[in-house]
Amino acid sequence: MARFDPFSPTFDHPLLNSSPDYGSRNGSFVRPIGVGLGGGLDSQLSFRERNKRLRSLEDEKNQLIEDLLYQLENTQNQLDRLQLDNSRESQYSRDAQLRESALQEQLVQVKTIMDRNSYIAVLIDADVVVFTKELLSKGEKGGKEAANNIFTSVSAFAADHLHHLETPKIVVRIYANTKSLSETLTKLKIIERPAALDEFVRGLNSARLLFDFVDAGPRPYATKEKLSEQFKTNLYDCHCHQVLLGCSSDSHYATLLQETLKDCSVLDHITLLEDLPFEKEVAMLKENFKTTKFDNVFRTTKLGLLPTPSKGPLQAVTATLPALSRVESNTTNGTSSGPSTPGMTWATMTAQPAIAASKANTPGATTPTSMKSPEPVVSKAVTKGIDRNRHGQRIDKVDSSIPNHEIQRIKKLKLCNIYYLQDLKILAME
């Protein structure tokens, strides 16, 4: 193995070829200007390039630091805003929870007050929805019985449909033109005398504290108007949980129900009383409301529409009319074998009072024995069931339950009101 003397002037080590000459003991190491360790100007340029690169890297580093600082400041500002918003939302949430708790307590208190004074309103148009003959004929006792039956029926309805109410009050308002109703009931022989209806009303009003049978008066549509106002008042009363409406199929009530359909929030609070069958106008709206029936309280048919007798409607009508003979036509033939005295007809029957009066005023006319009375002659109704005035003219009375628009329509036709409005058919006389 060869040995090398590191202090020898001729020592040449491959790793120390560029190092200074440490063999020279007396002189210092001198490098020529312009000569690099790499050997020339190229190495010097590379240093500048490297320095330039380092400076650009330093600039990028500084820029990166600036960007990071800017981003940090923005993030810090956003954090501060979010913390402020969070604090505000937390405060609002706490306030909202407190308000909600207070409102819930207030709602429970109001609900308790409403349920404590809750009631069910029963509104009935008694001009059409009429009590049964059995109740009306009992007078005051029948009125009390009718009130108890209504109370029982409404209580059963509340138990089935209003479970949240323990003991709701039952307020009943019955409206009718009592004078006209009593006259109609007397004519139809449902009650013996008009005063029987007053006794019935007295018994109904005295049976329960919140039951009232009110006389709406003779003014047209008074019953419908009063009932409609009571309906609107009770429907939007917070204490009223249900309105039971017993009305006719008149267009007035159909319009009232049609207007109510616009407010869907109250439809569940309305129940229609269906003891009397609905006609077309109200029947079309029936599916939008609940319905119920009161057993053995109200009639199931309208007044005037009596059950068909066994001998037929035509015979029932003609049975009250007098027997009329056929009138022979006037002819010029002298050989006519017609009776010398004409038979009784409607014309002769209605003309008798006028003929008798004219004969009495004729000079020299002989007065029959039956007309020699010093008392004035008063014409009487020739037939039973036909009303006449003092001149002997027939008076056709119209049932108050018949709608006014139907009466006006028939009047324009110039027909007999009794014949057409009450669905009665009289045999045509030849």
Side-chain angles (χ1 to χ4, degrees), residues 139-140 143 178 196-206 213-214:
E140 185 172 350
T178 55
L197 180 63
D198 296 335
E199 297 173 359
F200 176 86
V201 171
R202 188 183 309 111
L204 189 145
N205 289 338
S206 62
F213 195 119
V214 182

Side-chain angles (χ1 to χ4, degrees), residues 7 42 44 57 65-66 111 127 136 138 144 147 160 183 239 253 257 277 298 308 316 350 353 373 383 393:
F7 297 101
D42 293 337
Q44 184 177 5
L57 292 175
I65 294 174
E66 290 292 333
K111 186 76 167 53
D127 284 336
L136 291 171
K138 294 180 181 179
K144 294 181 180 180
D160 294 337
E183 294 175 353
H239 299 287
Y253 293 112
L257 295 176
F298 300 104
T308 304
T350 55
S373 174
T383 60
Q393 299 171 341

Side-chain angles (χ1 to χ4, degrees), residues 119-252:
Y119 71 93
I120 300 173
V122 181
L123 306 176
I124 298 173
D125 183 351
D127 284 336
V128 180
V129 184
V130 184
F131 289 90
T132 61
K133 179 179 181 180
E134 180 182 1
L135 294 175
L136 291 171
S137 60
K138 294 180 181 179
E140 185 172 350
K141 181 180 178 182
K144 294 181 180 180
E145 185 177 345
N148 293 330
N149 290 343
I150 293 176
F151 184 86
T152 302
S153 299
V154 178
S155 299
F157 173 84
D160 294 337
H161 299 86
L162 303 175
H163 306 284
H164 60 286
L165 301 178
E166 295 182 0
T167 55
K169 297 180 181 179
I170 299 176
V171 180
V172 177
R173 294 289 183 271
I174 304 173
Y175 295 92
N177 180 358
T178 55
K179 181 179 179 181
S180 175
L181 180 61
S182 62
E183 294 175 353
T184 302
L185 295 176
T186 304
K187 289 181 181 179
L188 296 176
K189 297 184 179 180
I190 296 177
I191 57 178
E192 296 180 355
R193 62 190 191 285
L197 180 63
D198 296 335
E199 297 173 359
F200 176 86
V201 171
R202 188 183 309 111
L204 189 145
N205 289 338
S206 62
R208 300 280 175 174
L209 295 178
L210 297 178
F211 281 42
D212 294 313
F213 195 119
V214 182
D215 181 9
R219 185 171 57 86
Y221 301 105
T223 300
K224 297 178 177 60
E225 292 174 356
K226 287 180 178 291
L227 197 67
S228 299
E229 288 301 317
Q230 281 291 334
F231 175 79
K232 296 175 183 178
T233 301
N234 288 279
L235 184 60
Y236 294 98
D237 192 329
C238 62
H239 299 287
C240 182
H241 290 254
Q242 196 72 200
V243 177
L244 275 66
L245 181 62
C247 62
S248 65
S249 298
D250 188 85
S251 59
H252 180 87

Side-chain angles (χ1 to χ4, degrees), residues 8-216:
S8 174
T10 60
F11 174 74
D12 187 10
H13 195 278
L15 299 176
L16 300 175
N17 57 357
S18 63
S19 62
D21 186 9
Y22 293 100
S24 178
R25 303 287 192 273
N26 297 328
S28 60
F29 176 77
V30 179
R31 178 179 295 174
I33 301 174
V35 179
L37 296 176
L41 294 176
D42 293 337
S43 61
Q44 184 177 5
L45 292 177
S46 64
F47 291 154
R48 291 183 181 278
E49 291 177 357
R50 291 168 63 188
N51 184 35
K52 185 177 180 180
R53 286 198 300 270
L54 289 175
R55 286 182 178 179
S56 63
L57 292 175
E58 188 71 19
D59 292 339
E60 291 180 2
K61 180 188 71 175
N62 293 335
Q63 185 64 36
L64 176 61
I65 294 174
E66 290 292 333
D67 292 342
L68 292 175
L69 292 175
Y70 179 77
Q71 185 67 25
L72 178 62
E73 291 175 353
N74 288 339
T75 304
Q76 186 64 38
N77 292 334
Q78 292 179 1
L79 178 61
D80 293 340
R81 287 196 299 270
L82 290 175
Q83 289 179 346
L84 181 61
D85 293 341
N86 183 51
S87 177
R88 183 169 58 250
E89 292 294 335
S90 299
Q91 182 65 30
Y92 178 80
S93 178
R94 285 192 295 270
D95 295 342
Q97 290 178 356
L98 293 176
R99 288 196 301 270
E100 183 181 0
S101 299
L103 289 176
Q104 287 290 346
E105 294 178 359
Q106 185 178 0
L107 181 62
V108 171
Q109 294 176 358
V110 173
K111 186 76 167 53
T112 303
I113 295 174
M114 290 173 58
D115 293 343
R116 185 173 60 220
N117 197 31
S118 61
Y119 71 93
I120 300 173
V122 181
L123 306 176
I124 298 173
D125 183 351
D127 284 336
V128 180
V129 184
V130 184
F131 289 90
T132 61
K133 179 179 181 180
E134 180 182 1
L135 294 175
L136 291 171
S137 60
K138 294 180 181 179
E140 185 172 350
K141 181 180 178 182
K144 294 181 180 180
E145 185 177 345
N148 293 330
N149 290 343
I150 293 176
F151 184 86
T152 302
S153 299
V154 178
S155 299
F157 173 84
D160 294 337
H161 299 86
L162 303 175
H163 306 284
H164 60 286
L165 301 178
E166 295 182 0
T167 55
K169 297 180 181 179
I170 299 176
V171 180
V172 177
R173 294 289 183 271
I174 304 173
Y175 295 92
N177 180 358
T178 55
K179 181 179 179 181
S180 175
L181 180 61
S182 62
E183 294 175 353
T184 302
L185 295 176
T186 304
K187 289 181 181 179
L188 296 176
K189 297 184 179 180
I190 296 177
I191 57 178
E192 296 180 355
R193 62 190 191 285
L197 180 63
D198 296 335
E199 297 173 359
F200 176 86
V201 171
R202 188 183 309 111
L204 189 145
N205 289 338
S206 62
R208 300 280 175 174
L209 295 178
L210 297 178
F211 281 42
D212 294 313
F213 195 119
V214 182
D215 181 9

Side-chain angles (χ1 to χ4, degrees), residues 205-422:
N205 289 338
S206 62
R208 300 280 175 174
L209 295 178
L210 297 178
F211 281 42
D212 294 313
F213 195 119
V214 182
D215 181 9
R219 185 171 57 86
Y221 301 105
T223 300
K224 297 178 177 60
E225 292 174 356
K226 287 180 178 291
L227 197 67
S228 299
E229 288 301 317
Q230 281 291 334
F231 175 79
K232 296 175 183 178
T233 301
N234 288 279
L235 184 60
Y236 294 98
D237 192 329
C238 62
H239 299 287
C240 182
H241 290 254
Q242 196 72 200
V243 177
L244 275 66
L245 181 62
C247 62
S248 65
S249 298
D250 188 85
S251 59
H252 180 87
Y253 293 112
T255 303
L256 177 65
L257 295 176
Q258 187 68 41
E259 293 175 353
T260 308
L261 288 177
K262 299 177 182 178
D263 190 355
C264 299
S265 61
V266 298
L267 293 183
D268 192 50
H269 293 174
I270 303 173
T271 301
L272 300 181
L273 189 59
E274 200 180 3
D275 285 276
L276 193 66
F278 296 129
E279 294 184 4
K280 183 177 180 181
E281 293 183 345
V282 177
M284 295 174 60
L285 307 174
K286 173 184 174 181
E287 59 183 10
N288 299 295
F289 306 97
K290 297 191 295 292
T291 59
T292 187
K293 292 184 178 181
F294 291 171
D295 296 332
N296 303 322
V297 178
F298 300 104
R299 293 171 55 91
T300 56
T301 58
K302 288 185 177 181
L303 289 177
L305 299 180
L306 300 177
T308 304
S310 58
K311 59 182 180 179
L314 298 180
Q315 297 178 5
V317 174
T318 56
T320 59
L321 300 177
L324 304 179
S325 61
R326 183 171 179 174
V327 180
E328 299 293 340
S329 59
N330 296 328
T331 60
T332 57
N333 189 0
T335 61
S336 174
S337 60
S340 58
T341 303
M344 180 179 290
T345 63
W346 283 108
T348 57
M349 185 172 60
T350 55
Q352 282 180 356
I355 294 174
S358 62
K359 288 183 178 181
N361 296 329
T362 303
T366 59
T367 303
T369 307
S370 59
M371 299 184 61
K372 291 181 179 181
S373 174
E375 298 178 357
V377 178
V378 179
S379 62
K380 297 183 180 180
V382 179
T383 60
K384 182 180 180 181
I386 299 178
D387 296 331
R388 298 181 181 279
N389 60 14
R390 60 189 181 88
H391 299 293
Q393 299 171 341
R394 191 176 73 177
I395 300 175
D396 292 338
K397 292 186 178 180
V398 180
D399 192 346
S400 60
S401 64
I402 299 174
N404 185 57
H405 65 86
E406 189 68 15
I407 296 176
Q408 299 302 324
R409 185 181 70 83
I410 294 299
K411 281 185 176 180
K412 293 180 181 179
L413 300 177
K414 297 182 179 180
L415 303 174
C416 175
N417 294 341
I418 298 297
Y419 182 92
Y420 286 93
L421 294 183
Q422 294 185 352

